[in-house]
Amino acid sequence: MLRSISWLGLPTLSPLQVFSQFASVCSVESLVKIGDAAIGDWKSPPQFTLPSLVEHVAETRHLRARSKLKAAVELIREDVDSPMETDLRLWAVSRGLPEPAVHPAVYCPTIDRTLHPDLGYLKEKLALEYEGDFHRTSEGQWAADIDRVNALKAAGWTVLRVTKSTNRRQLERDIRRHLGLQ
């Protein structure tokens, strides 16, 4: 049963209920993108937590597309910064690659800081950095990205930079080669 909450003095559904309702009209992939955004700190404060979502799906008696919701919940991750990071992570999993960690901590001694690449394979020291157009058109972002990649490389990491135009077949080959999965 849907229960309304008050928001700005108006009756509305809770974010968890709205998310649940999307399951009947969205793909699992779309639900994961929505879920990553809802628990993340993208453009607004998080709408709910991953544990509260897990509890909601488990304890709500009548949910449409419960199996789809459960599948999405298994793939939702905290700390994702953009839908393109989600796309890249889900793409890797769909290709049979191990799931990369979201924002793994990498200490970079040359700058005496810990960096967090978009996605990465810690043991293999492989970072995947998604570069949206802003990374190319902003002079400051471009300079910061170069410094970041140089620091990761100096720490012994391989960095694969990905854009919307990246040849995904080649990217998969590069990841497989680096992970020793050929």
Side-chain angles (χ1 to χ4, degrees):
M1 170 181 241
L2 297 177
R3 294 190 183 106
S4 67
I5 61 169
S6 180
W7 184 71
L8 298 176
L10 300 170
T12 187
L13 297 177
S14 75
L16 284 169
Q17 291 173 316
V18 171
F19 180 79
S20 296
Q21 295 300 304
F22 285 145
S24 63
V25 295
C26 288
S27 67
V28 169
E29 182 178 285
S30 293
L31 286 170
V32 173
K33 287 182 197 178
I34 295 166
D36 280 356
I39 67 169
D41 193 13
W42 295 12
K43 305 287 185 198
S44 66
Q47 300 301 302
F48 47 81
T49 65
L50 186 52
S52 68
L53 176 58
V54 169
E55 181 181 337
H56 173 77
V57 171
E59 294 181 0
T60 303
R61 292 184 71 180
H62 302 290
L63 282 177
R64 287 184 174 164
R66 181 182 301 275
S67 61
K68 202 186 298 185
L69 278 169
K70 285 182 175 182
V73 168
E74 292 295 318
L75 292 168
I76 293 170
R77 301 290 178 261
E78 296 172 321
D79 301 325
V80 177
D81 287 338
S82 76
M84 298 315 293
E85 285 179 20
T86 299
D87 280 341
L88 185 55
R89 181 172 51 86
L90 294 178
W91 168 82
V93 171
S94 77
R95 303 304 305 154
L97 294 165
E99 182 178 346
V102 175
H103 299 291
V106 179
Y107 177 70
C108 298
T110 59
I111 59 171
D112 193 30
R113 283 187 38 219
T114 298
L115 297 179
H116 300 272
D118 295 337
L119 299 169
Y121 297 94
L122 276 169
K123 187 175 121 192
E124 297 85 358
K125 294 188 173 184
L126 176 63
L128 305 176
E129 289 279 88
Y130 188 85
E131 310 283 358
D133 203 41
F134 174 75
H135 293 262
R136 182 187 61 81
T137 60
S138 165
E139 188 175 324
Q141 186 65 55
W142 180 249
D145 288 346
I146 289 172
D147 291 344
R148 178 182 174 85
V149 168
N150 288 340
L152 288 165
K153 286 181 177 181
W157 280 65
T158 299
V159 179
L160 299 179
R161 298 173 75 190
V162 182
T163 70
K164 68 180 178 183
S165 301
T166 296
N167 179 323
R168 295 293 174 109
R169 285 188 181 140
Q170 184 60 49
L171 178 61
E172 180 181 352
R173 284 192 293 270
D174 292 344
I175 294 170
R176 285 187 184 284
R177 183 172 31 261
H178 195 86
L179 299 181
L181 300 174
Q182 293 181 328

